[in-house]
Amino acid sequence: MTTPPSRPRGPGAARAVRAVRAVGWPRGQGADAVLAAAALVVTLVLSVVAVKPGDRALWPGGVALIVVATLALAVRRRHPVAVLVVGVVVPPLYYPLGYPDGPLALVLWVALFTAAVECRLLVSLGAVIVVNAGFLGVALLRGGGGGDPDAIVDARGVASLSLGLLVAVALGQYVRSRRDRAEAAERRAAEAERSREEEARRRAVAERLRIARELHDVLAHQISLINVQAGAALHRRDDPERAYAALEAIKAASRETLRELRGVLGVLRQVDADAGTDAGTDVEASVGGPVAPPPSQAPSLARVGALLEQTAAAGLAVRREGDLADSPGGTVEGPSGLADLPAPVGLAGYRIVQEALTNAVRHSGAEQVTVSVRRVSGAVVVQVDDDGTGPAATASAAGGNGLRGMRERAASVGGQVTAGPRPAGGYRVWARLPVDDAAEPGGSARAEAAG
């Protein structure tokens, strides 16, 4: 059996819906005031219509009870317990006293429903018990109901009244649970939005710090070398051969600086190849080449030899130890195991060596620096010693951005860095960068050999 399709809503119905939505229906306290006024009018009118012979006159007692009970609904959500007390007290007084039958009992149901929504369940259940006791007590005081066939004096009457009251409580609890779920969903949505915003801010800050660290590492070292070589060229004007050598070193350092800046700009303005935009062309035009260096030319401990050669060209004697001792060229291959380091570890070690050499060139007044890189079981140990005696060496290395950057580099891969004066003079930078040997190709064999 198929369900017939619903008839589409015509333009007249749509206009009616829009008109209903456009009406400014009162909400909150205004809606309660309208409800109280309507309840007063309806209760008075229907009570007058329901007058029968033998009923007690409405004026003044019955009217007073109706006014008090109905107008209390105007504050039912602001003071639900007070309105519930009025609803519990007035109907058990009104009906047993012989006033005309009217819809005053609806005030009790509304008050009970409101209490179930706004208060704990114990409040509304206690009100149900009090109402039953009140009706029974008044009826018994009048002598078994006083001849009123509708008086609640037996089990059937109590059961009927209790069932009706409990239905109102159940409806109130249902509305309360729906409201609580809606509020919880709104809180979760707001919390999720705040979490997303905080995460976005955290990522933005982390990315900004990473970019600042990259720019510092790239520019500080290379510009320092260029500055030293430019000064050397000026002092060697009478020796053209040495001056030209300094200019060649400046050219090489500036070329390396441009290459690394391309890599940083490539990260900053990365473009999805499938997007088909011209942003990548703009980046290439702005830096005069590809937006990022090939992976084989990325900074790493495997290429630290070229960095040491640049430093030596600036006039600082460089001595290699550890795995660098047998690899004088720009790359380190073979038994040393530095070529297959994880990219983050290789980059962190390279930047630490670079910053230590920058401090030695710029601040310490050192004549010789010793660079040691050793691949041990589970880690790479980097150590840079210089024989500098300049007064600015310690202060600059300890308080500037360089040491902070080295610590951040090491922490990013789970390592640690220490830096400070050596007992015999000079300055030492020491770093240990953990490496998961088992995860690297041939790592187990290297670990066994090291053991």
Side-chain angles (χ1 to χ4, degrees):
M1 180 177 178
T2 59
T3 304
S6 59
R7 183 167 27 174
R9 185 178 293 171
R15 283 196 299 271
V17 171
R18 287 195 296 269
V20 170
R21 291 177 178 175
V23 174
W25 297 106
R27 295 176 179 273
Q29 192 66 24
D32 292 343
V34 172
L35 174 64
L40 174 62
V41 174
V42 171
T43 304
L44 284 176
V45 171
L46 294 182
S47 298
V48 171
V49 172
V51 172
K52 295 183 295 186
D55 289 341
R56 179 176 293 186
L58 278 174
W59 181 261
V63 173
L65 292 175
I66 292 174
V67 170
V68 170
T70 54
L71 292 185
L73 297 178
V75 293
R76 67 186 185 94
R77 276 182 280 199
R78 293 181 59 187
H79 306 287
V81 176
V83 175
L84 181 61
V85 170
V86 173
V88 168
V89 172
V90 173
L93 290 178
Y94 179 86
Y95 291 107
L97 290 178
Y99 291 110
D101 290 336
L104 185 62
L106 294 178
V107 174
L108 172 59
W109 263 262
V110 173
L112 195 60
F113 170 82
T114 304
V117 173
E118 304 293 339
C119 305
R120 292 182 298 176
L121 180 61
L122 183 62
V123 175
S124 53
L125 291 181
V128 172
I129 297 173
V130 172
V131 168
N132 281 284
F135 273 105
L136 284 174
V138 173
L140 293 175
L141 288 175
R142 296 182 62 204
D148 186 359
D150 297 328
I152 301 175
V153 294
D154 56 4
R156 177 177 296 179
V158 172
S160 300
L161 177 62
S162 300
L163 180 61
L165 297 178
L166 290 176
V167 168
V169 174
L171 289 176
Q173 286 295 306
Y174 173 75
V175 173
R176 178 188 179 94
S177 64
R178 289 286 302 272
R179 184 189 66 182
D180 291 344
R181 285 197 298 269
E183 292 177 353
E186 291 178 358
R187 286 195 300 269
R188 287 194 299 270
E191 182 64 26
E193 183 66 22
R194 284 194 298 270
S195 299
R196 284 193 296 269
E197 293 176 355
E198 292 175 359
E199 179 65 15
R201 284 194 296 268
R202 186 190 65 79
R203 290 183 178 180
V205 170
E207 185 66 13
R208 189 178 72 247
L209 292 176
R210 188 188 67 82
I211 293 169
R213 189 166 57 243
E214 285 288 336
L215 290 176
H216 174 271
D217 292 343
V218 170
L219 295 177
H221 179 75
Q222 301 295 350
I223 298 301
S224 297
L225 295 182
I226 291 172
N227 180 64
V228 171
Q229 294 289 2
L234 287 175
H235 285 87
R236 297 167 181 172
R237 287 174 295 181
D238 298 335
D239 187 350
E241 184 177 350
R242 299 179 68 184
Y244 288 147
L247 292 176
E248 286 291 338
I250 291 174
K251 179 181 178 181
S254 60
R255 183 171 60 247
E256 181 69 15
T257 302
L258 289 176
R259 186 190 64 78
E260 294 205 36
L261 281 178
R262 291 190 199 108
V264 176
L265 290 176
V267 174
L268 288 175
R269 301 183 62 183
Q270 222 168 20
V271 180
D272 188 358
D274 297 333
T277 62
D278 296 331
T281 305
D282 296 339
V283 175
E284 292 182 9
S286 65
V287 298
V291 296
S296 60
Q297 297 181 8
S300 172
L301 281 176
R303 300 187 64 251
V304 77
L307 179 65
L308 301 183
E309 290 177 0
Q310 290 180 358
T311 305
L316 185 63
V318 178
R319 197 173 81 180
R320 306 163 185 249
E321 291 185 355
D323 294 338
L324 302 177
D326 299 329
S327 302
T331 60
V332 179
E333 304 288 352
S336 63
L338 299 182
D340 59 353
L341 285 174
V345 176
L347 176 60
Y350 181 92
R351 294 304 189 195
I352 290 171
V353 174
Q354 186 180 52
E355 182 60 33
L357 294 177
T358 301
N359 290 333
V361 171
R362 294 175 59 188
H363 305 296
S364 69
E367 296 180 356
Q368 178 176 313
V369 62
T370 302
V371 180
S372 171
V373 179
R374 289 183 172 86
R375 177 74 180 268
V376 298
S377 178
V380 172
V381 177
V382 176
Q383 182 172 310
V384 181
D385 295 328
D386 66 62
D387 58 356
T389 58
T394 303
S396 175
N401 292 324
L403 183 55
R404 184 185 304 116
M406 286 191 286
R407 287 172 177 162
E408 291 173 355
R409 291 282 185 186
S412 67
V413 295
Q416 56 182 341
V417 169
T418 59
R422 296 189 301 167
Y427 202 81
R428 169 173 293 174
V429 174
W430 181 90
R432 186 182 187 277
L433 309 177
V435 178
D436 186 3
D437 285 328
E440 295 299 312
S444 300
R446 281 198 305 272
E448 291 175 2

